[in-house]
Amino acid sequence: MKSWTRREFGRLTGAALLTALNQPKARGQAKARVVVVGGGIGGATVAKYLASSATAVDVTLVEPRQSYTTCFFSNLYLAGLRPFESLGHGYEALARQYGITVIHESAAAIHPAAKTVALNNGSKLSYDRLVVAPGITFRDRALEGYDDAAMEIMPHAWNAGPQSKLLRRQLESMEDGGLFLIVVPPDPFRCPPAPYERASLVASYCQHSKPKAKILILDAKDKFNAQDVFQDAWNRHYPGMIEWLPAQFTGGVTAVDPKTRSVITAGATFKAAVTNVVPAQMAGRLAQQAGLTDQSGWCPVDPVTFESALQPGIHLVGDAIIGGDMPKSAFCANSQAKACAFAIAADLAGSARFPAHLFNTCYTYLAPDDAFSNAISFKPVDGKLKSVISFVSKVEESSEVRRQAARAAEGWYDAFTHDVFG
């Protein structure tokens, strides 16, 4: 099982390609202005790698938060296996080491014709190239009864932060024998294995603290990512504790009742002590307002440059895009962001583009000492991103392989977040 170092991580994720672009800057070369809106994994990576390139570029990162809390590994926090503070990453290194101008403000609007971004404080930023990493938002009226007020009673915890803390408090205060219910949305959504990892780690917590508790998963789908691996682990680690009900069994979730923490399906009503509702998703609001989304609610892009198919001169990366075979994961956002940065740098410098190297690799926990991994490479084929080489953990892997994966995951997290935030 791979033990990650920062140097090895850099080789995998494209540092060699960045080095190829790092030729000496021409003296007196005017700096192009690139504005990056959104300081999550995709946006921070684009900003860092553009600022690191040899191309003369002035990079501004617009992000309202002072610190970014990773969604990945937040399920470990819910299970009491990782402190919340370990999930937070600031932007100081990006500003100090890479010369990026970080503006902690929200973008109010994008004006493509004028090539400006309006901020909530009334100021405007002009750009030569714009990168938007808007993340996801929840679809309006996807579930009857699930609104902003309901989220404070039946948290989603799908944007790590206060919602994660709320769900953790509810889990801690749940009586032994209580039901923890998870509503899983239809595809596509951020981090496909995460709801089932959450069920696994909540079960791990309950096994020691609330052994009579049950976990119920109401799914909008009839099958899910790595289903055989998860169900094998549930049978081994948590026999009788986790139940998964597919849409074909329930008829699908149609509504929620926050007053009773109940979930209503086509065939029955389920009442729980703790209800974790993960709603259906789409690209972030800013992308919609700027005309960057199509009828699907997601953003079509060129699979090589990640330039918008709808608004020339604007690039998009991360969960908001239509990524073909690439899932909506942090590592995919990071990989897309590097390809996007290289393409922008090459265009601004008038140099040849390098082929995009796109990867996804991640670790998923089944128990504190049981994790599985995947590694997939992608390339553009006929205008879409297609998987070309893949490794995915199998049910028959030994317990030692899984223990090694759980240990390797810690190094992966540290190397990955260092690659993004410095």
Side-chain angles (χ1 to χ4, degrees):
M1 181 58 59
K2 183 65 176 174
S3 179
W4 292 92
T5 67
R6 289 172 180 171
R7 180 176 295 177
E8 291 165 330
F9 191 93
R11 284 203 300 267
L12 171 65
T13 56
L17 182 54
L18 180 60
T19 301
L21 287 177
N22 276 341
Q23 303 302 319
K25 292 181 175 68
R27 293 183 178 180
Q29 183 178 351
K31 287 189 174 184
R33 297 164 300 177
V34 178
V35 174
V36 181
V37 177
I41 299 300
T45 302
V46 168
K48 176 184 172 182
Y49 274 73
L50 272 171
S52 301
S53 75
T55 305
V57 59
D58 183 9
V59 181
T60 299
L61 177 62
V62 178
E63 167 54 51
R65 295 166 294 190
Q66 297 286 332
S67 176
Y68 177 79
T69 304
T70 61
C71 293
F72 51 99
F73 276 45
S74 65
N75 284 333
L76 292 168
Y77 161 72
L78 287 176
L81 299 171
R82 191 178 182 97
F84 183 81
E85 293 73 19
S86 71
L87 304 174
H89 304 274
Y91 299 93
E92 297 82 5
L94 295 181
R96 183 179 62 254
Q97 297 178 22
Y98 299 94
I100 297 168
T101 300
V102 181
I103 299 176
H104 290 296
E105 186 59 75
S106 295
I110 296 169
H111 303 290
K115 288 193 171 184
T116 60
V117 176
L119 305 183
N120 275 352
N121 62 9
S123 63
K124 289 186 178 181
L125 299 174
S126 297
Y127 64 83
D128 297 302
R129 290 293 182 99
L130 175 66
V131 182
V132 183
I136 57 101
T137 191
F138 301 126
R139 291 185 182 271
D140 295 329
R141 297 177 293 279
L143 286 177
E144 181 183 344
Y146 198 71
D147 54 17
D148 289 347
M151 290 178 188
E152 298 305 311
I153 300 170
M154 309 166 83
H156 54 79
W158 219 242
N159 292 318
Q163 281 270 306
S164 306
K165 292 182 176 180
L166 174 59
L167 187 58
R168 170 68 184 173
R169 289 195 301 270
Q170 291 185 355
L171 175 60
E172 289 178 316
S173 63
M174 183 177 77
E175 292 185 3
D176 191 10
L179 176 65
F180 188 101
L181 191 156
I182 303 175
V183 176
V184 181
D187 290 330
F189 63 94
R190 170 186 285 165
C191 197
Y196 315 101
E197 179 192 61
R198 180 169 293 179
S200 303
L201 292 179
V202 167
S204 175
Y205 166 81
C206 290
Q207 197 172 52
H208 300 288
S209 302
K210 305 176 192 293
K212 297 178 183 178
K214 301 290 184 183
I215 293 93
L216 175 63
I217 305 168
L218 298 180
D219 211 322
K221 307 178 297 302
D222 293 326
K223 59 182 179 179
F224 61 90
N225 182 277
Q227 182 171 341
D228 58 340
V229 176
F230 277 107
Q231 292 183 323
D232 171 74
W234 296 344
N235 290 331
R236 288 187 291 109
H237 295 302
Y238 322 110
M241 183 175 278
I242 300 175
E243 183 178 11
W244 172 74
L245 296 181
Q248 64 184 2
F249 182 86
T250 65
V253 174
T254 59
V256 299
D257 183 354
K259 293 180 181 179
T260 60
R261 287 188 170 86
S262 297
V263 176
I264 299 117
T265 71
T269 297
F270 299 86
K271 185 176 180 179
V274 177
T275 304
N276 173 208
V277 178
V278 184
Q281 297 160 28
M282 59 183 176
R285 300 290 181 194
L286 184 65
Q288 299 172 52
Q289 295 166 3
L292 298 168
T293 58
D294 64 13
Q295 66 275 9
S296 72
W298 303 100
C299 303
V301 296
D302 181 290
V304 176
T305 65
F306 293 89
E307 186 172 10
S308 169
L310 304 176
Q311 295 283 3
I314 300 178
H315 300 252
L316 296 117
V317 294
D319 295 339
I321 74 163
I322 299 173
D325 290 345
M326 294 192 85
K328 298 185 183 300
S329 75
F331 201 99
C332 282
N334 173 266
S335 187
Q336 294 160 8
K338 289 170 181 173
C340 177
F342 301 150
I344 291 173
D347 284 350
L348 291 175
S351 60
R353 291 179 187 162
F354 289 83
H357 296 269
L358 298 165
F359 301 93
N360 184 48
T361 187
C362 66
Y363 291 84
T364 302
Y365 282 86
L366 302 164
D369 61 350
D370 186 347
F372 71 91
S373 62
N374 66 50
I376 308 171
S377 65
F378 306 87
K379 70 176 182 180
V381 178
D382 298 328
K384 296 181 180 180
L385 289 165
K386 297 288 187 181
S387 61
V388 289
I389 302 174
S390 65
F391 163 80
V392 181
S393 290
K394 305 296 183 184
V395 169
E396 58 268 19
E397 287 176 338
S398 69
S399 58
E400 179 57 28
V401 167
R402 296 290 182 76
R403 280 193 292 271
Q404 290 177 9
R407 290 194 294 268
E410 293 290 335
W412 174 91
Y413 183 93
D414 292 341
F416 180 61
T417 51
H418 182 268
D419 178 67
V420 175
F421 295 102

